Amino acid sequence: MWTVLLVEDEENVRRFVRRNIQWGAYGFEVAGEASNGKEAWELMERLRPDAVISDIMMPIMDGTELLEKARESGMESVFIMLTCLQELKYAQTAMQHGAFNYILKASMTLESLHGELIRLDRELSRRNERLAKDRRPWFDALYSGLWESDFSVNNSLEADVWLQETYPHLALFSVFHGNMPLEPYELQLKNLFRSSKPAIVNEFKKYGQTTIFVWSRSPIHPEPVLDDFPYPIVYGLAQALDQLPAVWQCILNEWDSAWYENQVMNKKTLLHGPDLGRERLSADGPLVWSIEKELVQAFEESKIEQVKQRLYDLMELMKQQKTRWYVVKKAALRWDEQIRRLVYGSRMDDGDSAIIHASSHRKLLHILQSRFEAYYYESIQANNQRTDHSEINVILSYLHQYYYQEISLKSMSQLVSMDGHYLSGLFKKKTGDSMITYLHKLRIE
């Protein structure tokens, strides 16, 4: 609900407005009352109301002065001024200083006040939407910065006093959905939380999960998730902005166990807070780097079975160390990049989706082994396109793939439908070696 501060020096008017308006029915609640501008300002600093309904002519500090003070301090509460007919020029002055509207006391009725609350709700909603849109680049930079820095506190957290003061309550919901869409379930996601005041909601997608951030002016109460919601969810609450990195990291860590056991997408929907005491190891220990070096070396030597074994060793080591699932994916992307560069040079690849969205440790291992095997055969094919004769290139590709098997000139001539004697001379002409010599060198290598 939106919060309202009533400021009126005539107690009977203030009492009439407070008691007779159905505030809750229109999405409002009265946060406080004051009889003059000075009292009102003290309450505004403490309550930071969404709206102020204020008389203009009051002792000590009038309504226009209160409005000016609020604007000078950067407070964006929406003001509706109460005035008498003879004070109309003061109401017009207040409008020039940014008041939303004014109401003549002589013509003020419950119906007119209710209509004003409807207009006020629309205005506050528009402001909240505009604020969320304007601040979106800042939020995006905040989330990306925290992710890339492994959830270290950065200057943005320390510097944004406005966010801390205006939206001090934060809830984070992590939805693990792999490569499946979330859009069809947006309405259900909005029902995950309940807050007595409007909130700013945005999201950050990475590695097959989406974190939804709910910034609110009042405490947030997570709601039960509907049975037909298809993806598991965990949540965490941050009571201060500087708690954001730790809470976000902890709710992501909640997926570790299920991800390693291939149970994330099979689980029923969960909704619970994170275990803030758990820690995980990084994926950059000396043993990891040693095995990673062996992986690259095995690929360079065209030993595909050793490549697969090293991948298995790396993934098992991370499982034993209980490395965070998203850190494993970061490492997997690094390994994939290293091998890609060996095959394609500087060519970049946009096909990382399978790695990014892998829903389990086992699936990620299978994806990596399959991709590296494909890279291996592509590298063989690329290396074997060394002649201008297509049939000879077919034979070269076969030799590199099956050099460990029994291979004869007769079997190769049958492979490309050529006379054996002619093929023997053609092979030596195009490669510089007889087929037997070439195969012998390949086996030695």
Side-chain angles (χ1 to χ4, degrees):
M1 290 187 179
W2 305 109
T3 54
V4 177
L5 177 64
L6 298 180
V7 189
E8 168 62 63
D9 62 327
E10 296 183 46
E11 186 177 351
N12 61 324
V13 175
R14 197 168 69 240
R15 186 186 307 115
F16 171 81
V17 172
R18 175 157 193 168
R19 292 183 178 179
N20 291 283
I21 292 179
Q22 300 176 17
W23 298 98
Y26 295 91
F28 291 87
E29 63 179 353
V30 177
E33 298 179 32
S35 60
N36 60 67
K38 184 176 183 296
E39 290 179 6
W41 175 246
E42 292 173 354
L43 286 173
M44 286 185 71
E45 287 189 301
R46 180 164 57 87
L47 301 175
R48 306 191 74 83
D50 299 302
V52 177
I53 299 177
S54 174
D55 190 11
I56 290 184
M57 302 303 293
M58 294 181 295
I60 305 177
M61 180 190 293
D62 65 32
T64 303
E65 291 175 315
L66 176 63
L67 171 59
E68 292 175 351
K69 192 173 183 64
R71 293 297 177 259
E72 289 171 0
S73 69
M75 199 173 297
E76 298 184 358
S77 302
V78 178
F79 273 72
I80 294 178
M81 314 306 293
L82 303 178
T83 186
C84 298
L85 186 60
Q86 62 269 28
E87 301 166 354
L88 193 56
K89 63 178 182 179
Y90 297 108
Q92 294 170 342
T93 300
M95 295 291 289
Q96 294 173 0
H97 283 87
F100 174 64
N101 203 358
Y102 65 87
I103 300 174
L104 290 174
K105 291 183 182 179
S107 59
M108 183 172 63
T109 64
L110 290 178
E111 184 178 354
S112 66
L113 286 172
H114 288 163
E116 199 61 40
L117 287 182
I118 292 173
R119 288 187 288 274
L120 180 57
D121 175 63
R122 291 173 182 166
E123 173 64 17
L124 288 168
S125 296
R126 281 195 296 267
R127 290 191 179 197
N128 200 64
E129 291 173 3
R130 185 171 63 248
L131 178 63
K133 182 178 180 180
D134 292 344
R135 300 284 297 186
R136 185 63 210 230
W138 183 89
F139 284 116
D140 288 342
L142 171 65
Y143 304 145
S144 297
L146 286 173
W147 183 277
E148 296 302 328
S149 66
D150 200 21
F151 306 98
S152 299
V153 175
N154 57 35
N155 293 333
S156 298
L157 284 176
E158 298 170 354
D160 205 282
V161 177
W162 167 86
L163 185 64
Q164 181 66 64
E165 291 182 347
T166 311
Y167 294 90
H169 303 278
L170 172 62
L172 297 82
F173 299 83
S174 174
V175 186
F176 206 113
H177 54 95
N179 60 355
M180 302 302 290
L182 269 183
E183 287 73 13
Y185 306 98
E186 285 183 352
L187 182 60
Q188 288 169 289
L189 289 172
K190 289 179 181 178
N191 293 329
L192 284 175
F193 59 91
R194 177 170 51 86
S195 174
S196 62
K197 296 184 182 179
I200 290 178
V201 181
N202 38 52
E203 62 184 33
F204 181 85
K205 294 183 179 181
K206 202 74 173 181
Y207 292 173
Q209 71 81 43
T210 296
T211 303
I212 300 167
F213 301 85
V214 183
W215 304 84
S216 176
R217 301 184 183 190
S218 65
I220 300 168
H221 307 283
E223 298 286 347
V225 183
L226 298 179
D227 292 337
D228 59 348
F229 189 74
Y231 310 123
I233 302 173
V234 294
Y235 82 90
L237 300 176
Q239 302 304 321
L241 185 58
D242 58 7
Q243 291 182 2
L244 169 58
V247 173
W248 190 12
Q249 185 176 36
C250 286
I251 67 169
L252 292 176
N253 291 352
E254 286 293 308
W255 300 118
D256 285 345
S257 177
W259 188 77
Y260 277 112
E261 299 303 324
N262 195 35
Q263 294 296 321
V264 171
M265 303 309 290
N266 297 332
K267 274 191 169 186
K268 289 186 177 180
T269 299
L270 302 175
L271 187 63
H272 58 81
D275 179 359
L276 294 174
R278 297 199 315 175
E279 295 183 356
R280 290 290 182 271
L281 302 176
S282 72
D284 295 327
L287 185 54
V288 169
W289 283 108
S290 176
I291 300 175
E292 188 173 326
K293 183 178 178 181
E294 294 175 5
L295 166 70
V296 174
Q297 183 178 349
F299 190 90
E300 290 175 331
E301 296 174 354
S302 299
K303 299 176 180 178
I304 187 58
E305 295 305 319
Q306 287 190 26
V307 170
K308 292 181 178 179
Q309 184 60 47
R310 294 289 85 78
L311 279 172
Y312 177 84
D313 294 342
L314 280 167
M315 294 293 286
E316 281 300 303
L317 175 62
M318 291 186 170
K319 183 176 181 179
Q320 293 169 11
Q321 292 182 339
K322 298 181 180 179
T323 304
R324 296 185 295 267
W325 64 271
Y326 53 90
V327 177
V328 179
K329 288 188 177 184
K330 283 183 182 181
L333 289 170
R334 185 177 71 237
W335 307 333
D336 188 70
E337 169 100 6
Q338 288 178 305
I339 301 303
R340 267 205 325 263
R341 287 187 177 276
L342 288 176
V343 178
Y344 305 114
S346 60
R347 174 185 146 189
M348 298 305 292
D349 181 76
D350 59 357
D352 295 335
S353 176
I355 294 176
I356 290 171
H357 295 118
S359 60
S360 72
H361 174 270
R362 186 172 66 192
K363 288 183 180 179
L364 180 56
L365 174 59
H366 175 73
I367 289 167
L368 289 172
Q369 289 180 332
S370 298
R371 283 172 72 102
F372 283 27
E373 187 169 20
Y375 292 153
Y376 167 71
Y377 288 122
E378 285 187 42
S379 67
I380 288 177
Q381 185 176 8
N383 290 333
N384 292 337
Q385 303 303 318
R386 59 184 70 181
T387 78
D388 58 359
H389 200 285
S390 60
E391 282 80 2
I392 298 300
N393 287 337
V394 169
I395 291 175
L396 289 173
S397 179
Y398 187 92
L399 294 178
H400 278 265
Q401 292 185 52
Y402 302 106
Y403 62 89
Y404 52 88
Q405 295 182 1
E406 190 69 31
I407 298 175
S408 65
L409 178 62
K410 181 179 179 180
S411 64
M412 292 299 96
S413 64
Q414 291 174 347
L415 177 67
V416 295
S417 301
M418 274 189 181
D419 175 74
H421 181 72
Y422 175 75
L423 176 60
S424 178
L426 181 63
F427 189 94
K428 186 168 185 178
K429 179 181 178 181
K430 295 299 182 180
T431 67
D433 288 314
S434 67
M435 188 179 299
I436 298 300
T437 303
Y438 188 93
L439 184 57
H440 180 66
K441 289 181 179 179
L442 185 59
R443 286 169 173 168
I444 293 175
E445 292 176 2

